């Protein structure tokens, strides 16, 4: 039974998913940027800046630990109760946690309780993001007209650069303060602004109907008692491939937008404002390029497009570092933008591609577990690994470029493996693939 898609709901659902993920990623990137710039000094003061930065990135990674479990919990509930309810809940959790971080006392004021409370709120952020992504992708793709599912599924992915743009603007404003004012109170303002975004996002999301495919699933009695148990039992191989496929899309952003801030300020001695300005320009380019990538993938085929993008991504870090090391703002923008446009091409298309590797009654669980598994293993650890490599090989960028290449290669392997679970069909088709018990039973795309 096919779900009916009509009226303005497809566009409204895509826009609501975009706005919602923009708010979610604004909150997440605000923490990531603050971790690179200030949280080490406020919550983990040390005479050794490397130790403070590493501890700050450690709390950044903590937020990823909760994400696979959160993805499983919200996936289960989303496959049982509906996509819309989960999206409203995750947005509320993220807004409350981010606002709370902006109100925390510093280590100088509260001692050890300050970083402990920071870690708790960071975990809540991880829980919220863990349940957000899968629901937003499904609300867009399951509302989409036939033949346009890849494009519509890319709208939640656009929330990542849009959220980063807002985060960078907010930090660019507060970093114009004196150093003492920025450390004392200025860094809190981007976190507190989350409350306003939360209210706007909840209003917009409340006006979107439930996914028509979920409604059709309820009518046809397709739902199972334990979606997570079922998807782990019968679809564990595509989960692993999907997790691998999203590696560069997740870890690559934290490499270019989080680690790179620390790298250029600490090891290349550039100003914070310079790198933030450069990343702002790069992110605008990324936001404009992602829908173009989705349209190209619909034209040439998702698997073919993703394979080419992953291969190219393996090569991009070398010119990126050569240009960044010049210290010239135009060169920095060109170098980082080259890498980001390519990796964001994978990011834009992979959501729609992986969705239809799972039957619709298990989709929320399947894609959430896969994406959050990757985010935990690759995304949360990337700034830490990058910092350790930069410290170990000071003055050398090739080891960092090789690390980026490895991340891209993992995505390439995942994309080619996941293509086998499309069963010879393009992921724009709405018909789900059948459950499988073994990799060998799949056709090769």
């Amino acid at each position: 039974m096919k779900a009916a898609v009509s009226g303005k709901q497809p566009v409204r659902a895509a826009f609501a998913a975009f706005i919602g993920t923009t708010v979610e990623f604004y909150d997440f990137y605000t923490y990531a940027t603050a971790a690179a710039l200030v949280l080490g000094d406020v919550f983990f003061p040390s005479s050794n800046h490397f130790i403070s930065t590493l501890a700050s990135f450690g709390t950044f990674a903590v937020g990823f630990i909760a994400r696979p479990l959160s993805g499983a919990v919200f996936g289960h509930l989303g496959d049982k109760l509906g996509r819309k309810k989960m999206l409203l809940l995750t947005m509320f959790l993220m807004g409350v946690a981010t606002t709370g971080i902006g109100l925390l006392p510093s280590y100088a004021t509260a001692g050890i309780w300050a970083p402990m409370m920071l870690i708790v709120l960071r975990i809540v952020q991880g829980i919220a993001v863990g349940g957000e992504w899968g629901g937003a992708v499904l609300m867009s793709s399951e509302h989409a007209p036939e033949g346009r599912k890849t494009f519509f599924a890319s709208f939640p992915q656009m929330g990542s650069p849009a959220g980063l743009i807002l985060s960078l603007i907010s930090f660019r404003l507060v970093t114009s303060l004196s150093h003492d004012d920025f450390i004392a109170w200025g860094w809190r303002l981007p976190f507190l602004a989350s409350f306003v975004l939360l209210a706007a996002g909840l209003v917009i999301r409340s006006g979107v109907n439930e996914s028509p495919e979920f409604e059709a699933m309820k009518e046809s009695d397709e739902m199972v008692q334990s979606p997570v148990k079922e998807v782990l039992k019968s679809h564990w191989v595509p989960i692993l491939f999907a997790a691998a496929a999203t590696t560069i899309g997740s870890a690559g952003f934290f490499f270019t937008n989080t680690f790179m801030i620390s790298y250029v300020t600490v090891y290349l001695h550039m100003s914070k404002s310079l790198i933030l300005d450069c990343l702002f320009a790069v992110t605008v380019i990324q936001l404009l390029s992602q829908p173009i990538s989705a349209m190209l993938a619909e034209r040439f085929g998702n698997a073919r497009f993703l394979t080419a993008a992953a291969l190219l991504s393996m090569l991009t870090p070398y010119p990126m570092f050569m240009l960044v090391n010049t210290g010239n703002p135009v060169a920095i923008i060109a170098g980082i933008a080259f890498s980001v446009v390519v990796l964001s091409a994978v990011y834009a298309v992979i959501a729609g591609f992986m969705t239809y590797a799972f039957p619709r009654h298990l989709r929320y669980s399947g894609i959430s577990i896969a994406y959050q598994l990757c985010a935990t293993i690759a995304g949360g650890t990337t700034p830490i690994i990058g910092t350790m490599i930069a410290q170990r090989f000071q003055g050398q960028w090739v080891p960092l470029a090789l690390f980026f290449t490895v991340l891209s290669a993992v995505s390439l392997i995942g994309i080619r493996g996941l293509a086998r679970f499309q069963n010879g069909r393009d992921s724009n088709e709405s018909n789900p693939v059948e459950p499988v018990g073994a990799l060998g039973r799949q056709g090769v795309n």
Side-chain angles (χ1 to χ4, degrees), residues 237-249 303 305-314 346 350 353-354 374 404-422 439 444-445:
V237 177
I239 284 176
L240 293 179
F241 278 129
T246 59
T247 297
I248 192 59
F305 179 86
L306 285 167
T307 298
L311 281 169
L312 183 57
S313 183
M314 294 174 65
V346 177
I350 198 65
F353 187 62
M354 68 191 288
C374 167
F404 192 98
T405 295
V406 170
L407 295 174
S408 301
V410 172
S411 278
L412 177 62
I413 293 169
I415 288 164
R416 294 315 306 162
L418 192 61
R420 304 180 69 171
F421 290 87
Q422 299 301 329
L439 176 62
V444 178
N445 186 348

Side-chain angles (χ1 to χ4, degrees), residues 74-418:
F74 280 99
H76 173 89
L77 295 175
D79 282 329
K80 295 281 287 184
L81 304 178
R83 286 59 160 130
K84 179 178 177 179
K85 294 177 182 177
M86 297 305 105
L87 290 178
L88 293 173
L89 178 57
T90 56
M91 177 172 284
F92 176 78
L93 287 174
M94 177 62 90
V96 169
T98 305
T99 304
I101 291 172
L103 298 173
L104 284 179
S106 66
Y107 184 90
T109 302
I112 192 64
W113 287 104
M116 289 177 64
M117 289 186 285
L118 177 68
I119 290 171
V120 170
L121 290 175
R122 177 63 182 150
I123 291 173
V124 175
Q125 276 194 325
I127 291 172
V129 172
E132 160 74 19
W133 183 84
V137 168
L138 293 184
M139 283 291 279
S140 293
S141 64
E142 292 181 349
H143 272 284
E146 295 298 326
R148 302 308 314 279
K149 292 188 178 294
T150 293
F151 180 69
F152 276 76
S154 72
F155 273 74
Q157 307 296 72
M158 290 167 61
S160 176
L164 180 56
I165 287 172
L166 292 179
S167 178
L168 289 172
I169 289 174
S170 66
F171 270 96
R172 184 64 183 88
L173 292 173
V174 296
T175 53
S176 64
L177 298 169
S178 68
H179 177 75
D180 290 342
D181 286 342
F182 176 64
I183 296 295
W185 55 270
W187 68 270
R188 299 177 183 275
L189 299 181
F191 288 92
L192 297 177
S194 176
F195 187 80
V196 178
L197 297 176
L198 166 66
L202 287 175
V203 170
I204 293 171
R205 277 196 169 167
S206 297
V208 180
N209 296 338
E210 178 57 86
S211 156
E213 289 197 36
F214 179 80
E215 296 289 1
M217 185 174 69
K218 288 197 301 182
E219 292 177 9
S220 60
D221 199 28
E222 293 178 35
M223 291 187 290
V224 295
Q225 185 65 32
S226 301
V228 171
K229 180 180 179 181
E230 178 64 27
V231 79
L232 290 175
K233 178 181 178 181
S234 60
H235 293 76
W236 62 272
V237 177
I239 284 176
L240 293 179
F241 278 129
T246 59
T247 297
I248 192 59
S250 178
F253 286 136
F254 293 116
F255 187 100
T256 56
N257 294 316
T258 301
F259 164 71
M260 192 62 75
I261 295 175
S262 176
Y263 173 74
V264 301
T265 55
V266 175
Y267 298 99
L268 301 183
H269 309 293
M270 299 181 193
S271 68
K272 295 174 183 177
S273 59
L274 172 63
I275 185 60
L276 289 177
D277 287 345
C278 291
L279 288 177
F280 177 81
V282 168
T283 309
V284 171
I285 295 170
Q286 176 194 342
L287 180 62
L288 297 174
S289 72
Q290 283 191 197
I292 297 173
S293 295
M295 289 187 286
L296 289 173
E298 285 185 341
R299 178 177 179 84
F300 296 107
N302 294 333
R304 186 179 296 111
F305 179 86
L306 285 167
T307 298
L311 281 169
L312 183 57
S313 183
M314 294 174 65
L315 305 177
T316 60
Y318 304 95
M320 176 179 71
F321 275 105
M322 285 190 286
L323 290 170
V324 167
N325 280 17
T326 65
N328 180 280
V330 175
I332 294 172
I333 292 171
I336 300 177
F338 180 37
S339 287
V340 167
V341 166
V342 176
L343 71 89
S344 67
V346 177
Y347 184 70
V349 177
I350 198 65
F353 187 62
M354 68 191 288
T355 294
Y356 293 92
F358 303 95
R360 64 185 180 186
H361 65 288
L362 302 176
R363 277 183 197 154
Y364 204 141
S365 299
I367 67 173
S368 294
I369 292 171
Y371 184 83
Q372 305 309 336
L373 178 64
C374 167
T376 300
I377 296 174
T381 60
T382 291
I384 295 176
I385 295 173
T387 299
M388 295 176 70
I389 293 174
Q391 182 71 13
R392 173 65 178 82
F393 299 97
Q394 293 189 40
Q396 303 178 51
W397 57 262
V398 173
L400 290 167
L402 289 172
F403 175 45
F404 192 98
T405 295
V406 170
L407 295 174
S408 301
V410 172
S411 278
L412 177 62
I413 293 169
I415 288 164
R416 294 315 306 162
L418 192 61

Side-chain angles (χ1 to χ4, degrees), residues 9-22 140 152 155 204 208:
Q9 278 296 309
V11 174
R12 186 177 299 172
F15 179 70
F18 165 67
I19 294 298
T21 52
T22 296
S140 293
F152 276 76
F155 273 74
I204 293 171
V208 180

